[in-house]
Structures are given as C-alpha cells and as structure tokens.
Amino acid sequence: MAGFWGRRKREEEAAQQAQDDDLARRARTALVAADERIRSTSDELEFAAAELGETATGPLREGITAVRTHMAEAFHLHQLNHDEIPDTADELRTRNARIVQLCEWAEDVLDERTEALRERIATVRQAPQVIERVRTDVERLRARLPQTRDTVARLSGRYSDAALHRVAANPDEAEQLLDFALHSADVSARRREARRAEEANVALETATEAVRRAGTIIDGVEDFEIEALRAQSTLAEVVADSRQDIVAARPLMQSGSPHSAEVTEAVADLEAALAALPGPGTASDPFADLAALRDANAALDTVVDKARRRAERPLPSIEQVRHAVDAADHAIAVAHSVIAGHRGWIGADARTRLAEAQRLRPDVDPLLSSEETREEALTLARRVQQLANEALQAAQRDIDSGRPDGDDWGGSGWGGGPGWGGGRGRPRTGGGDILGPVVGGLLLGGLLGDLFD
C-alpha cells in the first residue's frame, strides 16, 4: 500500500513539474512577443504621427508608455528567475504567471489603441510621396555601400575575424534589404493602382522598415570602427592601471600577509593577461582583449580588497570607478546595437539581460557623488557591464544559430511583428533570414507571389 501512495505522489509531482515547465516556456515566448510588439508599434507610431499629428496619436503614445512601464516589471521578474539566488517552485510559478499576465495585458492595450487608428491611417496616408521617399532613401544608402565595403576590408587588416564577426556581413545584408525595399515599393504602387489599398499599405510599410534596417546595418559598420578605436584607447589605460595594481599588490604577496596566496595567484593571472596581449601590427580583437584584461584586473582588485579588509585602505579612485562606468556604457551600447540590428533573431535571455543592465545603469551615477558610496558604484557598474556582456553573448548565440546560408530571399518561413497591416500570429522563420523581421504581413492577399515571381 505504501508503494501505491509513493507512486501516486511521484506522478503528481511529475505532473506539477510539467505544468511549471510549460508555464515557464509560455512566459519566455510571451516576453519576446510583447517586446517585439512594442518595438514594432513604436516604429509605426512615428510614421502615423507624421501623417495624423500628435493629437490623434496621443492615446497610442500614452498606451505605449504605460505598456513599457509594466514590461519593465516583466523583464525584472524574468531576471530574478535566472539570478544566482535559489528560488522555490512557488516563487518561479508566481513570477512566470505574472509575466504572462503582464505580456497579455500589453498586447491587449496595443491592439485596442492601434485598431482605433487603422482606418484613419489608411485614409490619409500619402502613399505616392512615401514611395518616392523610399526610392530616394534606397539610392542614398546604395551610394554608401562601396564605402562600407571598403571600411570592412580595411578593418579586416586591423582586427581579427572574431572581432569583425558582428559586421563582416553587414554590406551584403544591407544590399539585400535595399533591393527588397525597392521591390516592395513597386508592389505597393501596383496594388494601389489596382485599388487594393490594404495590401498596398502592407507592402509600403515593409519597404519602409527594410530601408530603416538597412540604414541601421550600414551605420553599424561605422559604429564598430569607432567603438573599436575607443576600446583600443581604453585598453592602453587599463594596461597602465593594471601594471600599477601589480606593483601595489606585491607587498601583499609576502608570507604572512592576509590572503597572500590569493593575491599571488591573481597577480600571476593579471601578468599572464598582459603578456597575452597582441603586439603592434597584429590583427586583434580589442573587445576581447579589453574584457580579458578587465576581468583579470577586477579579480586582483577583489583579492587585494580582501587582504586589506582588516586595515584601513583607500577607496577606489574616482578614475577607476569612471573607467568601470565607461566600460558598462560601452557594453550596453554594443549589446543594444547588435540586438536592435537583428531583432528577429534575438530571444528572451539576451533581451532580459540588456533590459536589466539598462534598468540598473541609472542607479550608478548618484553613488559617484559621495566617497562613502564610491565602492558600491564600482560594484554596480561592473554588474551592469557583466549583464550587458551576457546579453551580447546570448544575442550572438541566437544570431549564429540562425544566420542564413546565402539564399537571397529564401528561408524556411516568414517572420515579422504585428503592425498596421496585420495582427499577431503570422508564420515565423525557422532560421535567421535577414528579411524575416521586415516581411511582416506580405502573405496577406497573395502578395507573396507578386513579390517573388
């Protein structure tokens, strides 16, 4: 009899675990869908405001603001599910249920506000002028492509393949998007001439989004060069700072000093990181070099702090804290650039870590005003940098797992967030088709055959 009750209890526990796992999956999916819906609707809001004015689009803008406020809570709850503090099953279940509730509410609010503007937008949209602007933007961005390719080629002689991985394909991706934007604009014009206004608007919105994304990708090459030069400059400063830290730590390596073994090991690791830096003229990855050196430097700082804890020690210098703050800002900027430029491929983990880093970043600045909180500012800045780096790593894994193999238009499906032309629930790509996030509702009304005949 005892065996019967034991088996029944195990079956109940297994059933509950399956329900909890399903709820966690729903929470992650809802988080990504709601976040993408907010981004897509925000893009469309600016388009509508230019046509209808701020008064008409005011309710939608207010709705987006409210939704973003509550989605910040959802991202924070998802972050708590994955931090280092163990959680009970009830805590995880409660948080995931709340995430699903917040995301569903966000989608309902945006549905209501966008539906109210749909007919007015279709009535007042100045399609011929917008199509002409798309064509002008396409030609303007095409004129930048040769310089962008030259920049990538020049950077390939200065930086390693690992460093260039994020932007090496940008010129080809941008050219593909521009071709697609021009073709979509032509489809929009033909559908409008055929008095199929809704389909024409969908195609035109797709063309506009493709041009916007192409511009972002082209700008990303220049942004990469600027950030790489900044990383190299910062690296030189961190090298000098690391050498000073090693000199300052040597007295603590003496036998009998507190934590002397840990200090000795940390000094050796930092010296190894300095020795591993590439020499002049060698293709390098300044981001990886800077990250490795910062990690070793931070490890030495930690054990030195422990060694000096029993005695008075000077607070971290304001320069050291500002270096950490700059590193956090740099890490957020890089992660944001990658996620914004490849939104269709990015999952919940990368988005959550970036949102958490952005949430914590404003808390650093007030701590810089007082010596009593300077050490806390340093710790928090490093936490922000860690979260942003984790967001970038997670985003890069998502991109690498879905980047297309070279098919100009192909993919295993179509993606795209909801906009004015359609709602949620469109088929999504199973791979990383560069066109996936901008195709949107092109399946509506037979547009697929016209676009890719």
Side-chain angles (χ1 to χ4, degrees):
M1 192 67 176
F4 170 78
W5 290 112
R7 183 173 65 255
R8 182 173 181 180
K9 181 179 181 181
R10 289 193 297 273
E11 290 174 352
E12 292 174 350
E13 291 174 348
Q16 182 63 58
Q17 184 61 49
Q19 293 177 3
D20 290 347
D21 291 344
D22 180 70
L23 180 60
R25 285 191 295 270
R26 288 173 54 203
R28 291 194 298 270
T29 301
L31 199 62
V32 173
D35 184 63
E36 189 62 26
R37 180 72 189 279
I38 293 171
R39 295 172 186 269
S40 300
T41 305
S42 297
D43 293 343
E44 292 291 341
L45 172 62
E46 299 309 317
F47 196 89
E51 297 174 348
L52 301 178
E54 292 296 332
T55 301
T57 56
L60 178 57
R61 192 178 298 277
E62 293 172 359
I64 290 175
T65 300
V67 164
R68 281 177 172 157
T69 299
H70 288 285
M71 284 301 296
E73 177 188 349
F75 278 116
H76 182 54
L77 291 173
H78 189 70
Q79 174 64 32
L80 291 177
N81 285 347
H82 297 278
D83 62 17
E84 64 276 7
I85 302 175
D87 300 304
T88 65
D90 286 340
E91 290 174 334
L92 291 171
R93 191 179 305 121
T94 300
R95 288 184 195 138
N96 285 328
R98 176 61 173 166
I99 290 172
V100 172
Q101 180 188 37
L102 288 169
C103 292
E104 290 177 347
W105 173 83
E107 299 250 17
D108 289 342
V109 169
L110 296 180
D111 280 345
E112 177 185 355
R113 302 295 172 92
T114 56
E115 185 64 30
L117 291 177
R118 187 187 304 276
E119 184 176 350
R120 297 184 64 182
I121 289 173
T123 301
V124 303
R125 176 161 290 163
Q126 300 296 319
Q129 292 86 339
V130 176
I131 288 175
E132 185 61 30
R133 185 166 65 246
V134 166
R135 289 170 176 161
T136 300
D137 289 343
V138 167
E139 293 307 313
R140 175 178 56 83
L141 291 173
R142 273 181 174 168
R144 293 179 58 188
L145 283 177
Q147 180 182 356
T148 303
R149 294 186 189 280
D150 291 343
T151 300
V152 172
R154 174 166 47 81
L155 294 176
S156 65
R158 185 186 307 168
Y159 302 112
S160 66
D161 292 341
L164 282 174
H165 184 63
R166 292 195 300 271
V167 298
N170 281 27
D172 292 337
E173 293 176 352
E175 184 174 20
Q176 184 182 357
L177 283 166
L178 292 175
D179 290 342
F180 185 74
L182 194 58
H183 197 54
S184 297
D186 293 339
V187 169
S188 178
R190 292 197 298 269
R191 289 303 165 99
R192 194 166 297 276
E193 290 173 0
R195 300 185 181 278
R196 297 163 71 172
E198 183 176 358
E199 296 169 2
N201 288 338
V202 172
L204 186 55
E205 290 163 10
T206 301
T208 303
E209 171 66 5
V211 169
R212 185 197 66 79
R213 288 201 63 214
T216 299
I217 289 174
I218 291 174
D219 290 340
V221 176
E222 296 179 358
D223 294 342
F224 172 86
E225 184 172 20
I226 293 171
E227 293 297 334
L229 291 173
R230 186 175 299 167
Q232 288 178 305
S233 175
T234 304
L235 181 61
E237 297 175 2
V238 177
V239 167
D241 182 65
S242 297
R243 288 172 177 162
Q244 293 176 1
D245 288 347
I246 291 174
V247 172
R250 290 199 183 281
L252 300 175
M253 297 167 59
Q254 298 175 0
S255 177
S257 297
H259 307 287
S260 60
E262 294 180 8
V263 174
T264 300
E265 182 180 357
V267 167
D269 291 341
L270 183 53
E271 289 176 334
L274 289 169
L277 294 176
T282 304
S284 64
D285 185 345
F287 305 109
D289 295 340
L290 183 59
L293 191 58
R294 283 191 187 279
D295 288 344
N297 189 292
L300 178 59
D301 288 343
T302 299
V303 296
V304 166
D305 288 346
K306 290 169 61 177
R308 294 174 174 173
R309 187 162 298 172
R310 295 176 185 173
E312 293 183 0
R313 65 174 181 82
L315 292 170
S317 68
I318 191 64
E319 291 78 11
Q320 182 182 5
V321 179
R322 293 197 183 281
H323 280 321
V325 174
D326 289 343
D329 289 339
H330 163 73
I332 289 176
V334 172
H336 180 272
S337 176
V338 172
I339 292 173
H342 302 80
R343 283 172 12 200
W345 295 324
I346 306 304
D349 289 345
R351 294 167 188 261
T352 296
R353 282 163 175 76
L354 177 59
E356 182 70 3
Q358 292 171 328
R359 185 185 72 83
L360 294 177
R361 173 60 183 87
D363 297 339
V364 177
D365 293 333
L367 300 176
L368 299 175
S369 60
S370 171
E371 288 188 354
E372 296 180 358
T373 57
R374 189 182 299 169
E375 187 171 3
E376 185 180 353
L378 180 63
T379 300
L380 185 58
R382 286 172 174 169
R383 174 58 178 161
V384 170
Q385 181 193 2
Q386 178 188 3
L387 286 167
N389 286 337
E390 290 175 357
L392 178 60
Q393 292 169 3
Q396 196 63 59
R397 286 195 299 270
D398 292 339
I399 294 169
D400 289 344
S401 66
R403 188 177 291 278
D405 295 326
D407 187 351
D408 286 342
W409 308 101
S412 59
W414 298 105
W420 307 116
R424 303 188 301 275
R426 299 194 186 102
R428 293 187 60 85
T429 177
D433 193 334
I434 185 65
L435 300 180
V438 302
V439 172
L442 287 177
L443 294 177
L444 292 175
L447 278 174
L448 179 64
D450 199 3
L451 278 172
F452 305 112
D453 50 9

